[in-house]
């Protein structure tokens, strides 16, 4: 095996050794402020949801039997049968990044859920792509949720929705999936991957130009480029971000992590994270 594969195997084994009796990575218990509503979500970034995202982002074996139970647990826990989406409560309802991450996990791990069609139907109908001119209503489905649906639609919600939709096999994509993917991509290209639509010389968000891994709430510019490449996109609006990526290549042809995600379920070596970033960068630039 390659050095990357060896280090991945060691990390996966260590993460699996930390599973609790339910096969999860719960950090909360009775008496905690956020229990039970957020027991698979809080704290960032070491609970069950985030640990599964870490495992998917490092490209662990998607068929690992040890991951069936935690996938089922978070699917059942977060799904709101009344609204038809994954939810952490009214404060951030509807929350596109959580729903995108759930679709991503189901797609990566080939975990079938009858809920996902309802999720896609909801966001195909209600997801917004506003660029500074939306007034958040108090009624369904936005309920004054300015974090996700303020004047400018939360960019991370769009990128995570795209990530989840991108992991739906092409043969299984219905018309509304294809349309929602295109709307996400159009919004991203409007911002040239990571720049302000009104001032292209300015980053869309602080730190978005820093190579980061894994990608949890926020996408760095590399993850966005990687998703666009997964969807076969080659567009002039990607050029500034591609030039930024090329400028960060080291003399030995690799890329190095620039921003670490704190408080993962276990310590992850920087050289392994840099190797994961390098793999993504090479995939993005393969035919650039």
């Amino acid at each position: 095996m390659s050095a990357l594969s060896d280090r991945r195997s060691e990390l996966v084994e260590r993460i699996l050794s930390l599973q609790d009796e339910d096969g999860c990575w719960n950090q909360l218990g009775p008496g905690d402020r956020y229990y039970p509503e957020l027991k698979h979500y809080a704290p960032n970034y070491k609970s069950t949801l985030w640990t599964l995202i870490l495992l998917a982002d490092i490209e662990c074996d998607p068929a690992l039997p040890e991951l069936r139970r935690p996938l089922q647990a978070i699917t059942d826990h977060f799904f709101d049968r009344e609204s038809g989406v994954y939810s952490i409560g009214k404060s951030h309802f509807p929350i596109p990044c959580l729903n995108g991450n759930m679709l991503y996990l189901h797609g990566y791990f080939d975990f079938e859920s009858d809920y996902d069609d309802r999720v896609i139907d909801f966001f195909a109908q209600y997801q917004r792509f506003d660029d500074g001119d939306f007034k958040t209503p108090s009624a369904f489905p936005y309920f004054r949720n300015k974090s996700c649906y303020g004047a400018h639609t939360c960019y991370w919600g769009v990128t995570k929705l795209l990530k989840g939709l991108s992991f739906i096999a092409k043969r299984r994509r219905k018309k509304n999936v294809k349309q929602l993917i295109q709307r996400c991509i159009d919004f991203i290209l409007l911002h040239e991957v990571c720049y302000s639509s009104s001032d292209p010389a300015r980053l869309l968000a602080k730190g978005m130009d820093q190579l980061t891994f894994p990608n949890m709430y926020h996408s760095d510019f590399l993850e966005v480029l990687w998703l666009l490449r997964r969807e076969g996109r080659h567009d002039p609006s990607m050029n500034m971000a591609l030039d930024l990526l090329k400028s960060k290549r080291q003399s030995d042809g690799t890329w190095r992590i620039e921003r670490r995600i704190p408080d993962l379920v276990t310590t992850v070596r920087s050289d392994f994270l840099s190797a994961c970033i390098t793999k993504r960068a090479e995939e993005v630039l393969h035919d650039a």
Side-chain angles (χ1 to χ4, degrees):
M1 290 193 296
S2 68
L4 177 60
S5 296
D6 287 339
R7 283 176 283 177
R8 179 190 296 118
S9 297
E10 185 276 331
L11 176 58
V12 170
E13 183 177 347
R14 185 153 30 97
I15 292 172
L16 294 181
S17 74
L18 298 173
Q19 287 178 289
D20 59 28
E21 61 184 9
D22 297 319
C24 297
W25 294 270
N26 283 319
Q27 307 292 322
L28 304 181
D32 286 309
R33 177 183 177 186
Y34 298 111
Y35 183 88
E37 188 173 51
L38 300 182
K39 70 175 182 177
H40 293 299
Y41 194 87
N44 302 334
Y45 293 98
K46 59 178 63 176
S47 56
T48 308
L49 171 71
W50 308 111
T51 300
L52 287 168
I53 291 172
L54 169 62
L55 287 165
D57 273 6
I58 67 172
E59 299 183 6
C60 79
D61 179 359
L64 283 172
E66 294 92 337
L67 302 182
R68 298 294 102 180
R69 280 203 299 161
L71 284 164
Q72 189 66 61
I74 64 170
T75 299
D76 292 339
H77 182 74
F78 289 126
F79 190 71
D80 180 349
R81 288 166 175 79
E82 181 179 352
S83 63
V85 298
Y86 299 104
S87 176
I88 56 171
K90 293 295 185 186
S91 63
H92 286 78
F93 181 91
I95 181 168
C97 62
L98 171 62
N99 283 271
N101 278 329
M102 290 298 295
L103 292 175
Y104 167 54
L105 293 175
H106 290 167
Y108 180 82
F109 290 110
D110 195 22
F111 184 88
E112 293 189 10
S113 171
D114 294 336
Y115 302 149
D116 288 351
D117 283 342
R118 291 187 64 189
V119 169
I120 292 165
D121 288 345
F122 181 98
F123 284 95
Q125 181 174 357
Y126 294 117
Q127 177 60 29
R128 299 197 60 86
F129 300 89
D130 297 294
D131 195 33
D133 54 359
F134 181 60
K135 185 175 181 180
T136 312
S138 59
F140 177 89
Y142 306 110
F143 297 114
R144 296 194 180 93
N145 177 7
K146 294 183 179 180
S147 295
C148 304
Y149 299 101
H152 191 291
T153 299
C154 177
Y155 196 66
W156 315 123
V158 174
T159 61
K160 295 306 174 183
L161 269 182
L162 177 60
K163 188 175 184 179
L165 295 167
S166 182
F167 277 79
I168 297 174
K170 287 183 169 59
R171 68 181 184 280
R172 296 174 54 193
R173 294 182 183 181
K174 299 178 182 178
K175 182 179 179 180
N176 63 349
V177 174
K178 296 176 183 177
Q179 290 175 335
L180 187 53
I181 286 174
Q182 188 58 54
R183 295 181 73 195
C184 290
I185 290 173
D186 289 345
F187 191 68
I188 288 169
L189 294 180
L190 173 66
H191 296 85
E192 299 190 57
V193 177
C194 58
Y195 296 98
S196 167
S197 59
S198 59
D199 180 7
R202 181 168 58 87
L203 283 172
L204 180 63
K206 182 180 179 181
M208 196 175 177
D209 60 335
Q210 294 181 304
L211 293 170
T212 307
F213 199 89
N215 297 111
M216 299 297 195
Y217 276 119
H218 303 151
S219 298
D220 66 348
F221 78 101
L222 174 57
E223 180 175 65
V224 180
L225 283 171
W226 179 67
L227 293 172
L228 292 172
R229 285 296 199 229
R230 278 184 57 86
E231 292 303 310
R233 294 308 195 270
H234 300 266
D235 190 279
S237 297
M238 299 163 60
N239 287 344
M240 279 206 305
L242 287 168
D243 288 343
L244 177 62
L245 180 61
K246 293 172 185 176
S247 75
K248 292 176 180 284
R249 182 162 39 197
Q250 303 296 309
S251 58
D252 63 357
T254 65
W255 284 259
R256 293 177 186 164
I257 190 163
E258 296 174 331
R259 183 165 65 96
R260 294 179 60 98
I261 298 297
D263 301 322
L264 297 173
V265 71
T266 188
T267 302
V268 185
R269 290 172 46 171
S270 292
D271 59 347
F272 174 73
L273 297 175
S274 294
C276 292
I277 287 171
T278 295
K279 183 176 183 296
R280 277 193 179 178
E282 289 174 342
E283 291 173 3
V284 166
L285 296 176
H286 177 69
D287 54 356

